[in-house]
Amino acid sequence: MRPYEFAAPRSLREALDRAGDGSAYLAGGTTLVDLMKLEVLTPSRVLDINRLPLHGITLDDQGLHIGALERMSDVTEHPLVRERYPVISRALDLSASQQLRNMASMGGNLLQRTRCGYFRDVSTPCNRREPGSGCAALDGVNRHHAILGTSDSCAATHPSDVAVALVALDTVLHLHGPEGARTVPLDTFYRLPGDTPHIENRLRPNELVTGFTVPPLGWATRSTYLKIRDRQSYDFALASAAVALHLRGGHIVAARVAAGGVGTRPWRLTGVEAALADRPATPATYQSATAHAADGARTLSGNAFKPELLRRTLVRALTSLGDAR
Ligand SMILES: Cc1cc2nc3c(=O)[nH]c(=O)nc-3n(C[C@H](O)[C@H](O)[C@H](O)COP(=O)(O)OP(=O)(O)OC[C@H]3O[C@@H](n4cnc5c(N)ncnc54)[C@H](O)[C@@H]3O)c2cc1C
Ligand code: SF4
Protein backbone atom coordinates (compact mmCIF):
# COMPACT_ATOMS: atom_id res chain seq x y z
CA MET A 1 0.00 0.00 0.00
CA ARG A 2 1.27 3.49 -0.83
CA PRO A 3 1.69 6.13 1.92
CA TYR A 4 -1.20 8.60 2.31
CA GLU A 5 -2.35 11.42 4.59
CA PHE A 6 -5.18 10.64 6.97
CA ALA A 7 -7.78 12.92 8.56
CA ALA A 8 -11.10 12.42 10.32
CA PRO A 9 -13.16 15.58 9.80
CA ARG A 10 -15.88 16.40 12.34
CA SER A 11 -18.27 18.27 10.04
CA LEU A 12 -19.49 18.21 6.46
CA ARG A 13 -17.85 21.60 5.89
CA GLU A 14 -14.50 20.35 7.18
CA ALA A 15 -14.73 17.21 5.04
CA LEU A 16 -15.41 19.25 1.90
CA ASP A 17 -12.63 21.75 2.75
CA ARG A 18 -10.10 18.95 3.21
CA ALA A 19 -11.13 17.06 0.06
CA GLY A 20 -9.25 17.71 -3.16
CA ASP A 21 -7.39 16.08 -6.03
CA GLY A 22 -6.41 12.54 -5.08
CA SER A 23 -8.46 12.36 -1.87
CA ALA A 24 -10.91 9.54 -1.02
CA TYR A 25 -13.67 9.30 1.56
CA LEU A 26 -13.53 6.30 3.90
CA ALA A 27 -16.73 4.87 5.43
CA GLY A 28 -16.63 1.16 6.41
CA GLY A 29 -13.52 0.65 4.31
CA THR A 30 -14.60 -2.80 3.07
CA THR A 31 -14.13 -1.78 -0.56
CA LEU A 32 -11.72 1.13 -0.31
CA VAL A 33 -9.06 -0.53 1.87
CA ASP A 34 -9.12 -3.71 -0.25
CA LEU A 35 -8.53 -1.69 -3.42
CA MET A 36 -5.78 0.36 -1.77
CA LYS A 37 -3.97 -2.83 -0.72
CA LEU A 38 -4.19 -4.05 -4.32
CA GLU A 39 -2.97 -0.61 -5.51
CA VAL A 40 -6.03 -0.30 -7.74
CA LEU A 41 -6.79 2.91 -5.84
CA THR A 42 -3.92 5.06 -4.63
CA PRO A 43 -5.38 8.11 -2.86
CA SER A 44 -2.89 10.62 -1.48
CA ARG A 45 -5.34 11.59 1.30
CA VAL A 46 -7.96 9.48 3.07
CA LEU A 47 -10.79 11.29 4.81
CA ASP A 48 -12.55 9.15 7.40
CA ILE A 49 -16.17 10.39 7.32
CA ASN A 50 -17.45 8.29 10.23
CA ARG A 51 -17.72 11.31 12.56
CA LEU A 52 -20.09 13.13 10.21
CA PRO A 53 -23.79 13.33 11.15
CA LEU A 54 -24.99 11.10 8.32
CA HIS A 55 -27.11 8.70 10.35
CA GLY A 56 -30.80 7.98 10.86
CA ILE A 57 -33.54 5.64 9.67
CA THR A 58 -36.87 7.49 9.76
CA LEU A 59 -40.26 7.34 8.07
CA ASP A 60 -42.55 10.32 7.32
CA ASP A 61 -44.92 11.55 4.59
CA GLN A 62 -42.01 11.85 2.15
CA GLY A 63 -40.98 8.22 2.63
CA LEU A 64 -38.15 6.32 4.26
CA HIS A 65 -34.98 8.33 4.93
CA ILE A 66 -31.68 6.55 5.48
CA GLY A 67 -28.38 8.23 6.30
CA ALA A 68 -25.32 7.31 4.24
CA LEU A 69 -23.40 6.10 7.30
CA GLU A 70 -26.06 3.68 8.52
CA ARG A 71 -24.54 0.21 8.57
CA MET A 72 -26.06 -2.41 6.26
CA SER A 73 -26.84 -4.65 9.25
CA ASP A 74 -28.69 -1.86 11.10
CA VAL A 75 -30.83 -1.11 8.05
CA THR A 76 -31.75 -4.71 7.33
CA GLU A 77 -32.71 -5.35 10.97
CA HIS A 78 -34.77 -2.17 11.36
CA PRO A 79 -38.48 -3.01 11.93
CA LEU A 80 -39.69 -0.18 9.65
CA VAL A 81 -37.58 -1.49 6.78
CA ARG A 82 -38.57 -5.11 7.35
CA GLU A 83 -42.30 -4.31 7.53
CA ARG A 84 -42.67 -1.58 4.91
CA TYR A 85 -39.95 -2.45 2.40
CA PRO A 86 -39.06 -6.16 2.70
CA VAL A 87 -37.33 -6.01 -0.70
CA ILE A 88 -34.66 -3.76 0.89
CA SER A 89 -34.04 -5.93 3.93
CA ARG A 90 -34.00 -9.10 1.81
CA ALA A 91 -31.46 -7.59 -0.63
CA LEU A 92 -29.25 -6.60 2.31
CA ASP A 93 -29.63 -9.99 4.03
CA LEU A 94 -28.31 -11.61 0.86
CA SER A 95 -25.37 -9.18 0.51
CA ALA A 96 -21.85 -10.10 1.61
CA SER A 97 -21.49 -11.69 5.10
CA GLN A 98 -22.74 -10.67 8.55
CA GLN A 99 -19.27 -9.36 9.50
CA LEU A 100 -19.12 -7.22 6.36
CA ARG A 101 -22.68 -5.95 6.84
CA ASN A 102 -21.77 -4.88 10.39
CA MET A 103 -18.94 -2.76 9.02
CA ALA A 104 -20.16 -1.56 5.63
CA SER A 105 -22.21 1.61 5.19
CA MET A 106 -25.18 2.18 2.89
CA GLY A 107 -23.40 5.05 1.09
CA GLY A 108 -20.32 2.89 0.56
CA ASN A 109 -22.47 0.06 -0.73
CA LEU A 110 -24.01 2.25 -3.41
CA LEU A 111 -20.54 3.51 -4.41
CA GLN A 112 -18.66 0.20 -4.24
CA ARG A 113 -16.56 -0.58 -7.33
CA THR A 114 -17.09 -3.48 -9.70
CA ARG A 115 -15.94 -6.98 -8.72
CA CYS A 116 -14.58 -7.73 -12.23
CA GLY A 117 -11.39 -9.69 -11.49
CA TYR A 118 -9.39 -7.78 -14.08
CA PHE A 119 -10.32 -4.44 -12.52
CA ARG A 120 -8.76 -5.71 -9.28
CA ASP A 121 -5.61 -7.07 -10.96
CA VAL A 122 -3.26 -4.22 -11.92
CA SER A 123 -1.22 -6.50 -14.21
CA THR A 124 -4.10 -6.80 -16.72
CA PRO A 125 -5.67 -4.29 -19.15
CA CYS A 126 -8.86 -2.66 -17.85
CA ASN A 127 -10.47 0.46 -19.29
CA ARG A 128 -12.32 1.11 -16.04
CA ARG A 129 -9.11 1.18 -13.99
CA GLU A 130 -6.82 2.60 -16.66
CA PRO A 131 -8.69 4.37 -19.49
CA GLY A 132 -7.62 3.25 -22.96
CA SER A 133 -5.73 0.14 -21.78
CA GLY A 134 -8.31 -2.35 -23.14
CA CYS A 135 -10.68 -4.85 -21.58
CA ALA A 136 -9.31 -8.26 -20.59
CA ALA A 137 -12.78 -9.58 -19.76
CA LEU A 138 -14.28 -9.42 -23.25
CA ASP A 139 -12.14 -12.39 -24.36
CA GLY A 140 -11.34 -13.65 -20.88
CA VAL A 141 -13.15 -15.02 -17.84
CA ASN A 142 -16.57 -13.40 -18.02
CA ARG A 143 -19.12 -15.71 -16.37
CA HIS A 144 -20.18 -12.98 -13.95
CA HIS A 145 -20.24 -10.18 -16.51
CA ALA A 146 -23.14 -8.14 -17.77
CA ILE A 147 -25.36 -8.81 -20.78
CA LEU A 148 -27.30 -5.52 -20.71
CA GLY A 149 -25.85 -2.03 -21.10
CA THR A 150 -22.40 -3.29 -22.11
CA SER A 151 -20.07 -1.65 -24.61
CA ASP A 152 -16.92 -2.60 -26.53
CA SER A 153 -15.01 -0.94 -23.67
CA CYS A 154 -16.49 -2.69 -20.61
CA ALA A 155 -19.02 -5.34 -19.59
CA ALA A 156 -18.64 -5.27 -15.81
CA THR A 157 -21.79 -5.73 -13.73
CA HIS A 158 -22.80 -3.33 -11.00
CA PRO A 159 -22.20 -5.34 -7.83
CA SER A 160 -24.64 -3.85 -5.30
CA ASP A 161 -27.72 -5.88 -4.38
CA VAL A 162 -29.54 -3.21 -2.43
CA ALA A 163 -29.11 -0.70 -5.28
CA VAL A 164 -31.34 -2.99 -7.39
CA ALA A 165 -34.08 -2.88 -4.76
CA LEU A 166 -33.68 0.89 -4.35
CA VAL A 167 -33.88 1.53 -8.10
CA ALA A 168 -37.12 -0.50 -8.27
CA LEU A 169 -38.52 1.75 -5.52
CA ASP A 170 -37.66 5.07 -7.28
CA THR A 171 -35.14 6.05 -4.59
CA VAL A 172 -33.69 9.55 -4.59
CA LEU A 173 -30.08 10.10 -3.57
CA HIS A 174 -29.02 13.11 -1.44
CA LEU A 175 -25.64 14.59 -2.34
CA HIS A 176 -23.60 17.43 -0.85
CA GLY A 177 -20.58 18.98 -2.52
CA PRO A 178 -18.56 22.18 -2.62
CA GLU A 179 -21.44 23.81 -4.55
CA GLY A 180 -24.11 22.77 -2.04
CA ALA A 181 -26.79 20.09 -1.73
CA ARG A 182 -28.72 18.42 -4.53
CA THR A 183 -30.77 15.29 -5.20
CA VAL A 184 -30.50 12.77 -8.05
CA PRO A 185 -32.77 9.78 -8.81
CA LEU A 186 -30.70 6.67 -8.13
CA ASP A 187 -31.80 5.19 -11.48
CA THR A 188 -30.07 7.97 -13.42
CA PHE A 189 -27.13 8.29 -11.00
CA TYR A 190 -25.30 5.28 -12.46
CA ARG A 191 -23.86 5.71 -15.97
CA LEU A 192 -23.60 3.16 -18.74
CA PRO A 193 -19.94 2.41 -19.56
CA GLY A 194 -19.99 3.57 -23.20
CA ASP A 195 -16.41 4.45 -24.11
CA THR A 196 -15.73 6.03 -20.69
CA PRO A 197 -16.28 3.17 -18.21
CA HIS A 198 -14.00 4.84 -15.65
CA ILE A 199 -16.75 7.47 -15.10
CA GLU A 200 -19.19 5.30 -13.19
CA ASN A 201 -21.75 7.74 -11.84
CA ARG A 202 -22.84 11.39 -11.70
CA LEU A 203 -21.03 12.26 -8.46
CA ARG A 204 -19.13 15.54 -8.88
CA PRO A 205 -15.55 15.97 -7.61
CA ASN A 206 -15.39 15.65 -3.80
CA GLU A 207 -19.18 15.38 -3.50
CA LEU A 208 -20.50 13.21 -0.65
CA VAL A 209 -23.54 10.97 -0.54
CA THR A 210 -25.34 12.11 2.61
CA GLY A 211 -28.30 9.70 2.40
CA PHE A 212 -31.31 8.69 0.36
CA THR A 213 -35.11 8.72 0.43
CA VAL A 214 -37.36 5.87 -0.65
CA PRO A 215 -40.75 7.40 -1.62
CA PRO A 216 -43.89 6.07 0.06
CA LEU A 217 -45.29 2.94 -1.61
CA GLY A 218 -47.93 1.24 0.57
CA TRP A 219 -47.93 -1.95 -1.48
CA ALA A 220 -44.16 -2.41 -1.15
CA THR A 221 -45.10 -4.59 1.84
CA ARG A 222 -45.58 -7.23 -0.87
CA SER A 223 -42.05 -7.18 -2.25
CA THR A 224 -39.01 -9.43 -2.31
CA TYR A 225 -35.49 -9.89 -3.63
CA LEU A 226 -34.32 -13.15 -5.19
CA LYS A 227 -30.61 -13.67 -5.77
CA ILE A 228 -29.10 -16.52 -7.80
CA ARG A 229 -25.40 -17.09 -7.13
CA ASP A 230 -22.78 -19.81 -7.44
CA ARG A 231 -22.53 -20.44 -3.70
CA GLN A 232 -24.98 -19.72 -0.92
CA SER A 233 -22.59 -18.63 1.87
CA TYR A 234 -21.81 -15.30 0.23
CA ASP A 235 -21.30 -14.36 -3.37
CA PHE A 236 -22.25 -11.77 -5.95
CA ALA A 237 -25.35 -12.32 -8.09
CA LEU A 238 -25.34 -14.16 -11.40
CA ALA A 239 -28.86 -12.80 -11.71
CA SER A 240 -31.21 -11.21 -9.21
CA ALA A 241 -34.70 -9.74 -9.15
CA ALA A 242 -36.24 -7.03 -6.99
CA VAL A 243 -40.02 -7.16 -7.36
CA ALA A 244 -43.07 -5.58 -5.73
CA LEU A 245 -46.68 -6.37 -6.64
CA HIS A 246 -49.87 -4.43 -6.01
CA LEU A 247 -52.56 -7.11 -6.08
CA ARG A 248 -56.34 -6.77 -5.85
CA GLY A 249 -58.61 -9.81 -6.03
CA GLY A 250 -56.09 -11.97 -7.87
CA HIS A 251 -55.33 -9.17 -10.33
CA ILE A 252 -52.12 -7.17 -10.69
CA VAL A 253 -52.83 -3.44 -10.33
CA ALA A 254 -49.18 -2.37 -10.66
CA ALA A 255 -45.67 -3.82 -10.36
CA ARG A 256 -42.10 -2.75 -9.76
CA VAL A 257 -39.32 -4.83 -11.28
CA ALA A 258 -35.53 -4.44 -11.44
CA ALA A 259 -32.70 -6.88 -12.08
CA GLY A 260 -29.15 -7.28 -10.81
CA GLY A 261 -26.15 -9.36 -11.88
CA VAL A 262 -27.00 -8.82 -15.56
CA GLY A 263 -26.57 -5.10 -16.18
CA THR A 264 -23.70 -2.64 -16.10
CA ARG A 265 -25.92 -0.75 -13.68
CA PRO A 266 -28.97 -1.81 -11.63
CA TRP A 267 -31.47 -2.60 -14.37
CA ARG A 268 -35.05 -1.31 -14.09
CA LEU A 269 -37.46 -3.33 -16.26
CA THR A 270 -40.29 -0.91 -17.00
CA GLY A 271 -41.41 -2.99 -19.99
CA VAL A 272 -41.99 -5.97 -17.69
CA GLU A 273 -43.84 -3.71 -15.24
CA ALA A 274 -46.18 -2.50 -18.01
CA ALA A 275 -46.78 -6.06 -19.24
CA LEU A 276 -47.77 -7.16 -15.72
CA ALA A 277 -50.27 -4.37 -15.02
CA ASP A 278 -53.97 -5.23 -15.20
CA ARG A 279 -53.36 -8.94 -15.72
CA PRO A 280 -54.24 -11.96 -13.55
CA ALA A 281 -51.57 -12.83 -10.99
CA THR A 282 -50.69 -16.22 -12.46
CA PRO A 283 -47.50 -17.96 -13.59
CA ALA A 284 -48.73 -17.68 -17.20
CA THR A 285 -48.80 -13.88 -16.82
CA TYR A 286 -45.34 -13.88 -15.26
CA GLN A 287 -43.98 -16.05 -18.10
CA SER A 288 -45.38 -13.85 -20.85
CA ALA A 289 -44.56 -10.53 -19.13
CA THR A 290 -40.91 -11.48 -18.65
CA ALA A 291 -40.43 -13.11 -22.07
CA HIS A 292 -38.72 -9.97 -23.43
CA ALA A 293 -36.81 -9.01 -20.26
CA ALA A 294 -33.44 -9.79 -21.83
CA ASP A 295 -34.15 -8.28 -25.25
CA GLY A 296 -31.04 -6.52 -26.53
CA ALA A 297 -28.75 -8.68 -24.39
CA ARG A 298 -25.19 -9.12 -25.65
CA THR A 299 -23.64 -12.26 -24.27
CA LEU A 300 -19.94 -13.15 -23.95
CA SER A 301 -18.17 -16.52 -24.19
CA GLY A 302 -18.86 -17.40 -20.53
CA ASN A 303 -22.30 -15.94 -19.79
CA ALA A 304 -24.64 -17.08 -22.61
CA PHE A 305 -26.82 -18.68 -19.91
CA LYS A 306 -27.77 -15.31 -18.41
CA PRO A 307 -30.75 -14.25 -20.59
CA GLU A 308 -32.63 -17.45 -19.68
CA LEU A 309 -31.46 -17.26 -16.06
CA LEU A 310 -32.76 -13.69 -15.84
CA ARG A 311 -36.21 -14.68 -17.15
CA ARG A 312 -36.46 -17.63 -14.76
CA THR A 313 -35.30 -15.55 -11.81
CA LEU A 314 -37.99 -12.96 -12.53
CA VAL A 315 -40.74 -15.56 -12.87
CA ARG A 316 -39.70 -17.26 -9.61
CA ALA A 317 -39.59 -13.98 -7.70
CA LEU A 318 -42.99 -12.87 -9.03
CA THR A 319 -44.59 -16.26 -8.35
CA SER A 320 -43.34 -16.16 -4.76
CA LEU A 321 -45.27 -12.90 -4.25
CA GLY A 322 -48.57 -13.76 -5.87
CA ASP A 323 -50.09 -16.82 -7.48
CA ALA A 324 -53.86 -16.55 -7.97
CA ARG A 325 -54.34 -19.92 -9.71
C1 LIG B 1 -16.02 -10.56 0.41
C2 LIG B 1 -17.02 -9.51 0.04
C3 LIG B 1 -18.28 -9.89 -0.41
C4 LIG B 1 -19.23 -8.94 -0.73
N1 LIG B 1 -20.47 -9.33 -1.18
C5 LIG B 1 -21.40 -8.39 -1.53
C6 LIG B 1 -22.68 -8.77 -2.01
O1 LIG B 1 -23.00 -9.95 -2.13
N2 LIG B 1 -23.55 -7.78 -2.32
C7 LIG B 1 -23.24 -6.45 -2.20
O2 LIG B 1 -24.08 -5.59 -2.49
N3 LIG B 1 -22.03 -6.07 -1.77
C8 LIG B 1 -21.12 -7.00 -1.43
N4 LIG B 1 -19.88 -6.62 -1.01
C9 LIG B 1 -19.51 -5.21 -1.04
C10 LIG B 1 -19.80 -4.51 0.24
O3 LIG B 1 -21.18 -4.45 0.44
C11 LIG B 1 -19.17 -3.13 0.10
O4 LIG B 1 -17.76 -3.31 0.22
C12 LIG B 1 -19.63 -2.18 1.15
O5 LIG B 1 -21.01 -1.98 1.12
C13 LIG B 1 -18.94 -0.83 0.99
O6 LIG B 1 -19.31 0.00 2.08
P1 LIG B 1 -18.18 0.67 2.97
O7 LIG B 1 -18.88 1.55 3.94
O8 LIG B 1 -17.24 -0.33 3.54
O9 LIG B 1 -17.47 1.55 1.84
P2 LIG B 1 -15.97 2.04 1.70
O10 LIG B 1 -15.08 0.91 1.36
O11 LIG B 1 -15.58 2.89 2.86
O12 LIG B 1 -16.16 2.99 0.43
C14 LIG B 1 -16.52 2.46 -0.83
C15 LIG B 1 -16.39 3.58 -1.87
O13 LIG B 1 -17.39 4.57 -1.65
C16 LIG B 1 -16.83 5.84 -1.33
N5 LIG B 1 -17.69 6.36 -0.27
C17 LIG B 1 -18.10 5.71 0.85
N6 LIG B 1 -19.04 6.43 1.49
C18 LIG B 1 -19.22 7.57 0.78
C19 LIG B 1 -20.06 8.71 0.91
N7 LIG B 1 -20.94 8.82 1.91
N8 LIG B 1 -19.99 9.68 -0.02
C20 LIG B 1 -19.11 9.59 -1.06
N9 LIG B 1 -18.28 8.54 -1.24
C21 LIG B 1 -18.34 7.53 -0.34
C22 LIG B 1 -15.40 5.54 -0.92
O14 LIG B 1 -14.53 6.63 -1.20
C23 LIG B 1 -15.07 4.33 -1.79
O15 LIG B 1 -14.74 4.72 -3.10
C24 LIG B 1 -18.91 -7.56 -0.63
C25 LIG B 1 -17.65 -7.16 -0.16
C26 LIG B 1 -16.71 -8.13 0.16
C27 LIG B 1 -15.36 -7.67 0.64
S1 SF4 C 1 -15.16 -5.58 -17.98
FE1 SF4 C 1 -14.77 -3.46 -17.40
S2 SF4 C 1 -13.91 -3.65 -15.34
FE2 SF4 C 1 -13.65 -5.66 -16.34
S3 SF4 C 1 -11.66 -5.65 -17.43
FE3 SF4 C 1 -13.19 -4.93 -18.86
S4 SF4 C 1 -13.06 -2.70 -18.65
FE4 SF4 C 1 -12.18 -3.55 -16.80
Side-chain angles (χ1 to χ4, degrees), residues 60-61 118 158 180 187:
D60 63 19
D61 291 351
Y118 301 106
H158 193 275
D187 197 19

mmCIF file with all atom_site columns, all heavy atoms in Angstrom, residues 60-61 118 158 180 187:
data_model
loop_
_atom_site.group_PDB
_atom_site.id
_atom_site.type_symbol
_atom_site.label_atom_id
_atom_site.label_alt_id
_atom_site.label_comp_id
_atom_site.label_asym_id
_atom_site.label_entity_id
_atom_site.label_seq_id
_atom_site.pdbx_PDB_ins_code
_atom_site.Cartn_x
_atom_site.Cartn_y
_atom_site.Cartn_z
_atom_site.occupancy
_atom_site.B_iso_or_equiv
_atom_site.pdbx_formal_charge
_atom_site.auth_seq_id
_atom_site.auth_comp_id
_atom_site.auth_asym_id
_atom_site.auth_atom_id
_atom_site.pdbx_PDB_model_num
ATOM 1  N N   . ASP A 1 60  ? -41.542 9.259   7.217   1.00 0.00 ? 60  ASP A N   1
ATOM 2  C CA  . ASP A 1 60  ? -42.547 10.323  7.318   1.00 0.00 ? 60  ASP A CA  1
ATOM 3  C C   . ASP A 1 60  ? -43.339 10.368  6.010   1.00 0.00 ? 60  ASP A C   1
ATOM 4  O O   . ASP A 1 60  ? -43.255 9.427   5.201   1.00 0.00 ? 60  ASP A O   1
ATOM 5  C CB  . ASP A 1 60  ? -41.893 11.677  7.672   1.00 0.00 ? 60  ASP A CB  1
ATOM 6  C CG  . ASP A 1 60  ? -40.921 12.152  6.585   1.00 0.00 ? 60  ASP A CG  1
ATOM 7  O OD1 . ASP A 1 60  ? -41.008 11.662  5.434   1.00 0.00 ? 60  ASP A OD1 1
ATOM 8  O OD2 . ASP A 1 60  ? -40.063 13.000  6.883   1.00 0.00 ? 60  ASP A OD2 1
ATOM 9  N N   . ASP A 1 61  ? -44.063 11.464  5.787   1.00 0.00 ? 61  ASP A N   1
ATOM 10 C CA  . ASP A 1 61  ? -44.917 11.550  4.588   1.00 0.00 ? 61  ASP A CA  1
ATOM 11 C C   . ASP A 1 61  ? -44.123 11.481  3.289   1.00 0.00 ? 61  ASP A C   1
ATOM 12 O O   . ASP A 1 61  ? -44.661 11.141  2.229   1.00 0.00 ? 61  ASP A O   1
ATOM 13 C CB  . ASP A 1 61  ? -45.680 12.884  4.590   1.00 0.00 ? 61  ASP A CB  1
ATOM 14 C CG  . ASP A 1 61  ? -46.715 12.915  5.696   1.00 0.00 ? 61  ASP A CG  1
ATOM 15 O OD1 . ASP A 1 61  ? -46.932 11.853  6.319   1.00 0.00 ? 61  ASP A OD1 1
ATOM 16 O OD2 . ASP A 1 61  ? -47.281 13.999  5.942   1.00 0.00 ? 61  ASP A OD2 1
ATOM 17 N N   . TYR A 1 118 ? -10.450 -8.503  -13.371 1.00 0.00 ? 118 TYR A N   1
ATOM 18 C CA  . TYR A 1 118 ? -9.389  -7.776  -14.081 1.00 0.00 ? 118 TYR A CA  1
ATOM 19 C C   . TYR A 1 118 ? -9.256  -6.352  -13.556 1.00 0.00 ? 118 TYR A C   1
ATOM 20 O O   . TYR A 1 118 ? -8.173  -5.785  -13.551 1.00 0.00 ? 118 TYR A O   1
ATOM 21 C CB  . TYR A 1 118 ? -9.664  -7.782  -15.588 1.00 0.00 ? 118 TYR A CB  1
ATOM 22 C CG  . TYR A 1 118 ? -9.750  -9.184  -16.149 1.00 0.00 ? 118 TYR A CG  1
ATOM 23 C CD1 . TYR A 1 118 ? -10.977 -9.739  -16.513 1.00 0.00 ? 118 TYR A CD1 1
ATOM 24 C CD2 . TYR A 1 118 ? -8.614  -9.963  -16.286 1.00 0.00 ? 118 TYR A CD2 1
ATOM 25 C CE1 . TYR A 1 118 ? -11.063 -11.028 -17.013 1.00 0.00 ? 118 TYR A CE1 1
ATOM 26 C CE2 . TYR A 1 118 ? -8.683  -11.253 -16.788 1.00 0.00 ? 118 TYR A CE2 1
ATOM 27 C CZ  . TYR A 1 118 ? -9.917  -11.778 -17.147 1.00 0.00 ? 118 TYR A CZ  1
ATOM 28 O OH  . TYR A 1 118 ? -9.992  -13.061 -17.632 1.00 0.00 ? 118 TYR A OH  1
ATOM 29 N N   . HIS A 1 158 ? -22.768 -4.111  -12.243 1.00 0.00 ? 158 HIS A N   1
ATOM 30 C CA  . HIS A 1 158 ? -22.802 -3.334  -11.004 1.00 0.00 ? 158 HIS A CA  1
ATOM 31 C C   . HIS A 1 158 ? -23.008 -4.320  -9.866  1.00 0.00 ? 158 HIS A C   1
ATOM 32 O O   . HIS A 1 158 ? -23.916 -5.138  -9.905  1.00 0.00 ? 158 HIS A O   1
ATOM 33 C CB  . HIS A 1 158 ? -23.931 -2.292  -11.038 1.00 0.00 ? 158 HIS A CB  1
ATOM 34 C CG  . HIS A 1 158 ? -23.788 -1.314  -9.937  1.00 0.00 ? 158 HIS A CG  1
ATOM 35 N ND1 . HIS A 1 158 ? -24.280 -1.558  -8.667  1.00 0.00 ? 158 HIS A ND1 1
ATOM 36 C CD2 . HIS A 1 158 ? -23.153 -0.131  -9.878  1.00 0.00 ? 158 HIS A CD2 1
ATOM 37 C CE1 . HIS A 1 158 ? -23.955 -0.539  -7.897  1.00 0.00 ? 158 HIS A CE1 1
ATOM 38 N NE2 . HIS A 1 158 ? -23.273 0.339   -8.606  1.00 0.00 ? 158 HIS A NE2 1
ATOM 39 N N   . GLY A 1 180 ? -22.869 22.884  -2.794  1.00 0.00 ? 180 GLY A N   1
ATOM 40 C CA  . GLY A 1 180 ? -24.114 22.774  -2.036  1.00 0.00 ? 180 GLY A CA  1
ATOM 41 C C   . GLY A 1 180 ? -24.781 21.418  -2.178  1.00 0.00 ? 180 GLY A C   1
ATOM 42 O O   . GLY A 1 180 ? -24.170 20.476  -2.682  1.00 0.00 ? 180 GLY A O   1
ATOM 43 N N   . ASP A 1 187 ? -31.764 5.859   -10.179 1.00 0.00 ? 187 ASP A N   1
ATOM 44 C CA  . ASP A 1 187 ? -31.803 5.191   -11.477 1.00 0.00 ? 187 ASP A CA  1
ATOM 45 C C   . ASP A 1 187 ? -30.944 5.914   -12.515 1.00 0.00 ? 187 ASP A C   1
ATOM 46 O O   . ASP A 1 187 ? -30.366 5.281   -13.397 1.00 0.00 ? 187 ASP A O   1
ATOM 47 C CB  . ASP A 1 187 ? -33.257 5.112   -11.960 1.00 0.00 ? 187 ASP A CB  1
ATOM 48 C CG  . ASP A 1 187 ? -33.419 4.093   -13.075 1.00 0.00 ? 187 ASP A CG  1
ATOM 49 O OD1 . ASP A 1 187 ? -32.536 3.231   -13.219 1.00 0.00 ? 187 ASP A OD1 1
ATOM 50 O OD2 . ASP A 1 187 ? -34.417 4.168   -13.802 1.00 0.00 ? 187 ASP A OD2 1
#
